Amino acid sequence: MSIIAYLEASPVAFAVSTGIMGLIVGSFLNVVIHRLPKMMERDWRSQCVELLAVQEPVVEQQQPYNLVHPGSHCPKCGHAITALENIPIISYLVQGGRCSACHAHISVRYPAVELLSGVLAAFAAWHFGLGWQAVGAALLTWSLVALSFIDVDHQLLPDPITLPFVWLGLAFNLFGIFTDVQSSLIGAMAGYSVLWLIYILFKLLTGKEGMGYGDFKLLAMLGAWLGWQMLPLIIMGSALVGAIIGLSLIVLQGRDKTKPIPFGPYLACAGWIALIWGSDFTEAYLTWASPS
């Protein structure tokens, strides 16, 4: 029996193998979450330097900084992380959550991102089974994980993630993987337009900006993957979760009401739920709403 035939016959084996891959991808996502905003900031600074015709420090110009260089290292002592020290979750547990050189504490968020990426991808694989839906679901899941943590840290949803994934969603649905191409295209357009209109109306009424353009692009991305039919569920779900968490932070932690709360993680959470259970929710609602 071939490996593909075995994985097709054993959903558990397929889910476990996808989960292991998700752990590895999660390790890379930690790099993306940490470095991509800094890379974008450097690029913006470089553009400003060019526009203003000022001289940038030579040292900074000569230091490459991307997702590959420099290699992973301890931010405290600069110790280069070896392959054995970079095994997802296991290395963190073996080292007791500390750098092997200087024993500085390593944030628990690193293994948490790895675990989240692995568990969600494994569940999606088990849900969809071997096929292109599972491939697409895993890719979408990992992009949502990265976007959520970046938005929490920087209140930024980077175009280098959202825009390619809009096109990737459209490409998948050219072949009807999640929905038909017409629903996908309308979903991308409507996803952006709906939040843009809400943004404009809120600004006209209050004089304030209620959300960022990255949120528009994220909903357009979800619309491209899942179709326009899932947009009401995603919008209502994200608004409900956002309201509950926002009020909880204000009441329990005394969070400043004027301090903005990133909306991207709530959109991502609602989008992932729609990816897995959206059809079930829609069918249940139509059954409930239809006359007996």
Side-chain angles (χ1 to χ4, degrees), residues 55-272:
Q55 187 173 1
E56 191 174 11
V58 177
V59 176
E60 186 172 347
Q61 289 178 344
Q62 293 176 346
Q63 292 180 343
Y65 189 85
N66 50 49
L67 299 180
V68 179
H69 299 287
S72 297
H73 59 279
C74 173
K76 296 290 185 181
C77 67
H79 166 69
I81 298 176
T82 65
L84 290 177
E85 294 172 338
N86 205 26
I87 301 173
I89 297 180
I90 295 176
S91 294
Y92 183 88
L93 295 175
V94 170
Q95 295 172 204
R98 297 186 178 275
C99 171
S100 61
C102 68
H103 305 294
H105 176 70
I106 301 172
S107 173
V108 72
R109 202 175 81 170
Y110 290 106
V113 169
E114 294 168 349
L115 184 62
L116 185 64
S117 302
V119 169
L120 293 183
F123 188 88
W126 177 82
H127 178 79
F128 288 109
L130 184 65
W132 284 108
Q133 279 191 320
V135 173
L139 292 174
L140 181 59
T141 295
W142 294 328
S143 71
L144 294 176
V145 170
L147 287 168
S148 296
F149 281 93
I150 291 174
D151 202 23
V152 168
D153 289 343
H154 303 278
Q155 294 187 7
L156 173 70
L157 294 167
D159 287 352
I161 298 178
T162 54
L163 297 185
F165 269 85
V166 169
W167 293 107
L168 189 59
L170 292 171
F172 264 81
N173 287 322
L174 280 174
F175 305 96
I177 303 300
F178 293 100
T179 187
D180 60 89
V181 68
Q182 184 177 12
S183 296
S184 176
L185 184 58
I186 295 173
M189 295 188 295
Y192 188 96
S193 301
V194 167
L195 288 190
W196 179 80
L197 287 173
I198 294 174
Y199 164 86
I200 293 296
L201 290 174
F202 184 84
K203 190 173 183 179
L204 288 173
L205 293 173
T206 66
K208 300 177 182 179
E209 297 183 354
M211 62 185 71
Y213 279 67
D215 297 317
F216 313 162
K217 298 168 190 175
L218 175 54
L219 189 57
M221 170 182 141
L222 292 170
W225 279 86
L226 306 178
W228 65 267
Q229 296 89 341
M230 293 298 169
L231 292 179
L233 175 62
I234 295 172
I235 293 171
M236 289 187 293
S238 59
L240 178 62
V241 174
I244 293 173
I245 294 179
L247 290 174
S248 299
L249 290 174
I250 292 172
V251 173
L252 300 178
Q253 297 184 2
R255 184 186 178 98
D256 186 355
K257 297 179 182 179
T258 62
K259 187 176 181 180
I261 298 175
F263 191 53
Y266 309 136
L267 281 173
C269 180
W272 193 84

